[in-house]
Amino acid sequence: MTGDKQAYRGEPLSEAAALAYVHGICFKTGPPRRVGVELEWLVRPLSPASGSAPGPRPPHPPPPGAESPAPPHRSGAPQPPHPRRPPQAEPPNRPAARVGATALRAAATALREAPLSSAISVEPGGQLEFSSRPAPSLAACVRAVSADLTAARARLHRHGIALVGRGLDPHPPLRLLEDRRYRAMEAYFDRTGPAGRTMMCSTASVQVCLDAGTAEPGPFGMGRRWLLAHLLGAVLTAAFANSPADDGPWAGWRSARQGVWAALDGYRNLAPPAGGHSPRQAWARYVLDAPLLCVRSAQGPWTVPADGMTFRQWIRRGSRPGTGPGALRPPLLDDLVYHLTTLFPPVRPRGHLELRMIDAQPGPDGWIVPLAVTTALFDDAEASESAYRVVKPLAELTAGGPAPRNALWERAARAGLADPELHAAARDCFGLARRALPRLGAGRRVRAAVADFEARYIGPGRCPADDRAGSDDRVCTERRTGTDDRAHTRHRSDTSETAPRRQGEPW
């Protein structure tokens, strides 16, 4: 305890002070002006046989019956002896090998040394996360992150690592990081089943970050945007579902990743119950009544309370400190700040709103579509008002509990857009977003990417997971236009993301 007292000095936190702090910092009001994105990627080693990642492809495979362009040769690279020679690939139905911890650390160090605007972090299972800076517009955000990813892929290529756009890794979960935070997190979640390890080590997402909104009512009002996020979030889950599972608890689900998140401890993964309170009040209560994931210490392992102690209970017990060997020090403000980072609801207020329900998307630029659609439906006044009217009837399906543990969110994760009500809502919302994007200054390529996704998936009632249901994530067999009738096995265009994309018109 002596070391802890020295490391965690300061005024013990009172319950009133904790509530006031959370109430004051988690919703910063004002007209929506900024947008950001956090991209999590699974990683895999490049095939030793091919020695490189496949060349850049469109974000999504062509529609059935459409011609596929021949893969472009890399400039200056030796030409293959025959233009139809397929690249080396992993055998079907077997996941690619893992990236080792040593290689991952070296690659992460190289990325952090690069002049990127995005912050780089490594998740427990080796996932790489790119967190953009707040941008003044959708176009600025897309340009900055696209440039970062182009530079990052080139560096990762030299380390023999490819990025993979998929929401759930088919490997069994394996924690690569030995940080005390993740050891404690693993111990905490192990009490409620295996979903915690899968969440930590095997999931990847696109997280869209938008301003919380104004204090006044209306389409940009904070209360309206908070409600819209929890209803529209299910539509986004269904439309962008990209983590199909062939076996296990979520076999047949389009977004098995969302199933994993719903199966966590049953509090820190859920939306706060409204109970007639404003978003600020509901969130502040939720934070203090959340069980502690751990109590940090300056030395040794961090303590995972055995009795499910909440942060509020810690404050109250800390006001009556004990002296026994299991006694906990009183909580400080820094402990509350840390506690906030251990809460994972589908919409997390961090001053702005962090929408966390979208699976990682296929293709080097597939992330742009959910970013653009979500931004348009929140930050264009006309689209936001109309989107709210579209999704408001879905609230009837949320009576069973908070997101994602209610019928609406479970149907979104299980069926994707095969669910008729979610399909109808997605069609309307994508139409609203498409019409709003020019008003937000989105470039031609962003608008084209959204229109292509809408035609390929939203119209027919499909999602990216439907392209891969029942097949291995890393290889597929398909016919190539202009070849003989043999099926050629090649790397999927939507999973390996290391090769830089072709330069062209700015986003």
Side-chain angles (χ1 to χ4, degrees):
M1 289 293 292
T2 302
D4 286 352
K5 289 179 180 178
Q6 292 175 349
Y8 294 95
R9 288 180 295 185
E11 188 70 25
L13 192 64
S14 70
E15 197 169 328
L19 284 168
Y21 178 82
V22 176
H23 192 278
I25 64 115
C26 287
F27 291 89
K28 297 180 180 178
T29 56
R33 293 192 178 97
R34 300 180 302 173
V35 59
V37 69
E38 299 179 13
L39 304 177
E40 296 173 336
W41 301 87
L42 304 178
V43 296
R44 69 161 175 83
L46 295 174
S47 168
S50 63
S52 64
R57 301 282 184 183
H60 301 281
E67 293 190 355
S68 301
H73 297 307
R74 296 184 303 277
S75 176
Q79 300 302 307
H82 191 281
R84 293 193 299 269
R85 172 186 171 189
Q88 300 295 321
E90 295 289 331
N93 301 320
R94 191 179 78 189
R98 296 183 188 271
V99 175
T102 301
L104 185 66
R105 283 193 295 268
T109 298
L111 292 181
R112 291 180 181 123
E113 292 174 349
L116 306 179
S117 63
S118 298
I120 305 298
S121 58
V122 182
E123 297 298 307
Q127 310 96 307
L128 287 175
E129 181 175 15
F130 293 71
S131 301
S132 78
R133 294 177 179 174
S137 67
L138 170 64
C141 182
V142 170
R143 285 195 299 269
V145 178
S146 295
D148 284 349
L149 286 171
T150 297
R153 289 180 185 121
R155 293 210 173 201
L156 289 170
H157 188 275
R158 293 196 288 271
H159 286 265
I161 294 175
L163 300 176
V164 178
R166 182 182 168 106
L168 187 65
D169 196 325
H171 290 105
L174 175 65
R175 180 168 54 84
L176 298 181
L177 301 186
E178 290 298 324
D179 304 44
R180 290 189 290 175
R181 170 184 172 92
Y182 296 126
R183 288 201 294 266
M185 187 179 293
E186 187 177 82
Y188 174 88
F189 283 121
D190 278 352
R191 296 174 177 176
T192 54
R197 293 192 181 212
T198 303
M199 176 277 289
M200 292 170 59
C201 302
S202 303
T203 62
S205 65
V206 173
Q207 300 175 18
V208 180
C209 301
L210 301 166
D211 282 328
T214 65
E216 298 78 22
F220 291 157
M222 179 181 65
R224 169 72 66 84
R225 286 164 76 86
W226 181 248
L227 180 56
L228 176 63
H230 287 89
L231 295 176
L232 180 62
V235 179
L236 299 174
T237 296
F240 295 109
N242 188 39
S243 51
D246 295 327
D247 50 32
W250 302 283
W253 289 42
R254 264 62 167 200
S255 180
R257 170 187 162 271
Q258 192 59 248
V260 169
W261 279 93
L264 296 181
D265 68 334
Y267 191 94
R268 64 191 345 99
N269 58 324
L270 305 182
H277 301 290
S278 70
R280 273 199 176 101
Q281 292 171 326
W283 178 252
R285 290 169 178 260
Y286 170 92
V287 169
L288 264 63
D289 290 330
L292 287 173
L293 190 144
C294 63
V295 175
R296 298 173 299 160
S297 59
Q299 299 175 354
W302 293 356
T303 302
V304 179
D307 59 354
M309 179 173 61
T310 68
F311 198 91
R312 191 189 303 273
Q313 290 170 335
W314 187 18
I315 292 174
R316 293 177 178 178
R317 294 179 191 180
S319 65
R320 305 183 301 274
T323 57
L328 295 176
R329 58 178 176 80
L332 309 177
L333 177 59
D334 190 55
D335 294 305
L336 177 59
V337 173
Y338 180 80
H339 178 64
L340 288 166
T341 72
T342 71
L343 304 177
F344 312 114
V347 183
R348 183 164 66 175
R350 302 178 61 191
H352 57 273
L353 299 182
E354 180 184 83
L355 280 70
R356 304 169 51 84
M357 71 290 296
I358 301 170
D359 283 350
Q361 293 296 288
D365 300 317
W367 57 274
I368 292 174
V369 178
L371 172 64
V373 169
T374 306
T375 302
L377 295 176
F378 274 83
D379 287 3
D380 178 84
E382 181 180 336
S384 183
E385 180 66 31
S386 298
Y388 178 72
R389 290 198 295 268
V390 168
V391 300
K392 188 176 180 180
L394 298 177
E396 296 178 0
L397 299 173
T398 66
R405 286 191 181 179
N406 58 44
L408 174 63
W409 283 68
E410 182 173 334
R411 283 165 55 171
R414 280 182 179 271
L417 294 189
D419 182 276
E421 289 180 271
L422 288 164
H423 182 205
R427 282 202 313 265
D428 290 344
C429 287
F430 266 75
L432 293 168
R434 173 170 34 84
R435 293 188 290 273
L437 286 171
R439 298 193 293 267
L440 293 178
R444 187 189 67 83
R445 291 177 68 191
V446 171
R447 301 197 307 271
V450 171
D452 178 72
F453 189 99
E454 184 180 11
R456 192 179 309 279
Y457 296 111
I458 307 304
R462 301 174 66 250
C463 58
D466 293 320
D467 290 336
R468 289 185 276 192
S471 65
D472 183 72
D473 180 41
R474 289 164 175 81
V475 295
C476 70
T477 301
E478 59 185 46
R479 299 181 184 275
R480 294 189 183 187
T481 302
T483 68
D484 57 26
D485 289 336
R486 292 175 298 172
H488 295 273
T489 300
R490 66 175 174 84
H491 288 283
R492 288 194 60 90
S493 63
D494 56 0
T495 58
S496 183
E497 320 297 354
T498 295
R501 65 176 175 84
R502 289 188 293 271
Q503 299 300 309
E505 179 184 350
W507 289 104

